[in-house]
Amino acid sequence: MDTNSGTVAVQNAHAADGLIDRFFQVRAFSEKIVEPLSPEDCVIQSMDDASPIRWHLAHTTWFFETFLLKPSGDYRPFDERFEYLFNSYYNSVGEQYPRGKRGLISRPGLTETLDYRSHVDQAMRSLVEGHDLTDEERQVLEIGIHHEQQHQELMLTDLKHALSCNPLAPVYRDGACEDLDTAVGQSWLEFDPGVVRIGHDGDSFCFDNELPRHRVFLEPFQIADRCVTNREYLEFMEDGGYDRPELWLSLGWAAVKEHGWRSPLYWTKTGSRWSHFTLSGRKPIRLDQPVCHVSYFEADAYARWAGCRLATEAEWEHAVCCQLDDPFSATQRGNWSDELLRSGRCIHPKLSGTDSYCNPQSHYGGIDGDDSDQPPLADAMGNVWEWTSSHYSAYPGYHAPAGALGEYNGKFMCNVFVLKGGSCATPSGHARPTYRNFFAPESRWQFTGIRLARC
């Protein structure tokens, strides 16, 4: 026997076992998110950008069914009609039900949707137990796991938007939120000019849009060691920030006027007090928590008012990666949604310097660990998605993968901006500093915030 070949076979088997265990862990967390919800909660679509919870549950299931089970040749679909109903945007697979009408679909109901998930999960177990996964199948499985984690974040943010439309301000889950305001001073990290490398490297998972790793020249810059707070953003508002066109990009000013923006999404003023809607109901604004639910336009206008700017994607990634021992790993410490739910905390951004920036998989300790060793930019991962000034575009040498999965990222590289870092709605084990999220500049329903930079 070839010893090297035997070793590789054992490593591949262990990798497949680890992936399938992770598959079931991630699938279980999706259903954990749904536990407090009624069937009625799961059918609401509050805007075209959002989707019903039930659709997320079904679409993530459709992904494994479409790209792993059906190609295996020995699979009986739960319902052939679901191929059309739960296809999101994969034109290579076929036609899709209109995105903005997903809330009109009352059937399959929640029970049948969960049955669909169970059917596919059982078929996935049979697939991995029946034969050794090929390299391509392992790759698709891993993409599917991370795809479901993306939808777990969307489930929480879409649900928050839907519940916020209810004047009763319903509670998704009771959770303890920080009840103190502790001013945290802002300082600046300085970086010298030079050629740096950005993009993913190593053997751990990444999406195709994080590749290839390449060189970028950076001029000298400074980046703030924490995100902009509610207190600071209120100063912008009270200084007439939403009434001063000189602070805004032309399209941003048009959005302010069209939508009547006067504050971040979910904020309400009663008398002299501000509150905001959270997944744990309506809460008073805590002044020194990071501001969130702001659009790119608002982030850019605030930065201009503050005499600063937003960091470029390359600046942000270089600055954060410099602070980490293993910047390409998705086991970074952060304020991650699954950890927040397990600890009974509110899914909301936390103050810099609190004990919330922890992940038990990281070398910094658990969720109740000591933060005395936290590095600079410790809140950059898993608190708010941070707007950058960079348009989402292909890295030099990028090529979209062949086949339907080539539609996953590349075709969206137009009219959107890059966000970095992950948010409190992101599950652990998913994001890393090279991760490239992207949204339209007017988007506000994600947990999006602001970190300043300057020359």
Side-chain angles (χ1 to χ4, degrees):
M1 176 181 175
D2 185 330
T3 304
N4 289 335
S5 298
T7 302
V8 170
V10 171
Q11 290 173 341
N12 288 345
H14 287 167
D17 289 344
L19 269 181
I20 198 62
D21 289 344
R22 183 156 166 73
F23 167 83
F24 285 111
Q25 291 169 3
V26 169
R27 297 283 285 172
F29 183 57
S30 295
E31 296 180 20
K32 181 75 173 176
I33 291 173
V34 177
E35 281 181 359
L37 303 179
S38 69
E40 293 83 0
D41 290 329
C42 296
V43 75
I44 299 172
Q45 182 177 21
S46 54
M47 61 175 174
D48 287 354
D49 283 338
S51 294
I53 298 299
R54 193 191 62 238
W55 186 90
H56 288 296
L57 292 171
H59 168 69
T60 51
T61 303
W62 171 96
F63 187 98
F64 293 107
E65 181 179 62
T66 300
F67 296 119
L68 270 174
L69 294 175
K70 287 183 177 179
S72 73
D74 186 24
Y75 169 72
R76 177 184 56 82
F78 184 84
D79 190 323
E80 292 281 5
R81 298 170 297 176
F82 287 3
E83 180 174 297
Y84 165 71
L85 200 58
F86 299 121
N87 183 0
S88 54
Y89 52 69
Y90 294 94
N91 297 313
S92 301
V93 174
E95 296 293 324
Q96 309 104 40
Y97 186 80
R99 178 178 182 178
K101 296 183 178 181
R102 290 170 184 167
L104 301 178
I105 303 299
S106 62
R107 300 182 186 182
L110 179 59
T111 299
E112 188 176 359
T113 300
L114 293 174
D115 289 343
Y116 175 39
R117 289 177 64 86
S118 179
H119 175 86
V120 165
D121 289 351
Q122 291 173 17
M124 286 292 296
R125 187 179 295 279
S126 297
L127 177 68
V128 298
E129 291 177 351
H131 79 288
D132 292 335
L133 295 179
T134 66
D135 289 344
E136 181 180 357
E137 287 173 329
R138 279 196 297 272
Q139 182 181 29
V140 173
L141 175 57
E142 192 158 25
I143 292 172
I145 290 169
H146 284 272
H147 168 258
E148 180 138 354
Q149 289 185 298
Q150 289 178 321
H151 279 271
Q152 289 167 351
E153 177 157 7
L154 290 171
M155 288 167 71
L156 291 169
T157 55
D158 291 0
L159 176 67
K160 182 175 182 177
H161 190 270
L163 294 180
S164 76
C165 298
N166 186 333
L168 301 180
V171 171
Y172 161 62
R173 282 182 187 264
D174 283 322
C177 290
E178 291 170 324
D179 59 359
L180 70 161
D181 288 323
T182 305
V184 179
Q186 178 178 279
S187 59
W188 296 87
L189 281 70
E190 296 189 14
F191 293 87
D192 295 329
V195 175
V196 303
R197 291 183 178 273
I198 67 167
H200 196 270
D201 194 13
D203 297 328
S204 59
F205 174 82
C206 72
F207 285 109
D208 57 74
N209 63 355
E210 299 172 57
L211 298 170
R213 188 162 173 82
H214 60 284
R215 293 172 297 177
V216 176
F217 179 79
L218 298 180
E219 297 288 352
F221 72 96
Q222 297 179 331
I223 192 166
D225 68 338
R226 62 160 174 78
C227 290
V228 171
T229 65
N230 291 324
R231 181 190 304 274
E232 291 162 337
Y233 199 83
L234 269 169
E235 292 173 359
F236 163 75
M237 293 163 54
E238 292 168 355
D239 195 39
Y242 284 96
D243 297 311
R244 295 170 57 181
E246 71 273 15
L247 297 175
W248 297 80
L249 296 170
S250 178
L251 288 176
W253 183 247
V256 168
K257 295 315 229 178
E258 178 183 356
H259 302 296
W261 292 347
R262 306 297 299 171
S263 64
L265 183 63
Y266 304 129
W267 284 35
T268 299
K269 190 174 186 180
T270 304
S272 61
R273 296 182 179 273
W274 284 96
S275 64
H276 58 169
F277 183 79
T278 76
L279 283 165
S280 296
R282 185 156 292 281
K283 303 281 188 181
I285 293 288
R286 296 304 175 190
L287 293 177
D288 293 300
Q289 287 177 341
V291 68
C292 65
H293 295 297
V294 291
S295 67
Y296 171 82
F297 293 135
E298 290 164 297
D300 177 78
Y302 176 88
R304 189 171 291 108
W305 172 82
C308 299
R309 60 178 176 82
L310 301 178
T312 67
E313 177 179 18
E315 289 172 338
W316 190 101
E317 187 172 318
H318 174 62
V320 173
C321 286
C322 284
Q323 314 303 319
L324 300 172
D325 293 337
D326 187 7
F328 306 118
S329 169
T331 58
Q332 307 299 335
R333 83 194 241 156
N335 190 35
W336 308 116
S337 60
D338 52 331
E339 294 297 321
L340 292 172
L341 287 181
R342 275 195 287 270
S343 63
R345 302 189 188 193
C346 180
I347 299 176
H348 196 74
K350 305 298 181 183
L351 290 169
S352 297
T354 65
D355 66 359
S356 304
Y357 298 102
C358 297
N359 184 310
Q361 298 178 2
S362 79
H363 61 281
Y364 289 108
I367 195 161
D368 295 315
D370 179 6
D371 267 11
S372 60
D373 64 341
Q374 72 174 14
L377 304 178
D379 65 342
M381 298 297 301
N383 208 32
V384 293
W385 285 107
E386 299 177 19
W387 287 107
T388 74
S389 62
S390 297
H391 292 265
Y392 178 51
S393 61
Y395 285 162
Y398 169 81
H399 296 286
L405 288 179
E407 298 186 56
Y408 200 110
N409 285 308
K411 71 180 185 180
F412 299 109
M413 292 176 174
C414 181
N415 296 335
V416 289
F417 284 82
V418 174
L419 300 98
K420 305 288 277 187
S423 83
C424 56
T426 309
S428 64
H430 178 62
R432 58 211 150 267
T434 60
Y435 192 109
R436 309 180 75 198
N437 202 355
F438 52 92
F439 279 99
E442 68 274 14
S443 300
R444 307 171 90 206
W445 92 108
Q446 298 301 305
F447 286 91
T448 48
I450 310 168
R451 186 183 299 273
L452 297 177
R454 63 189 186 186
C455 298

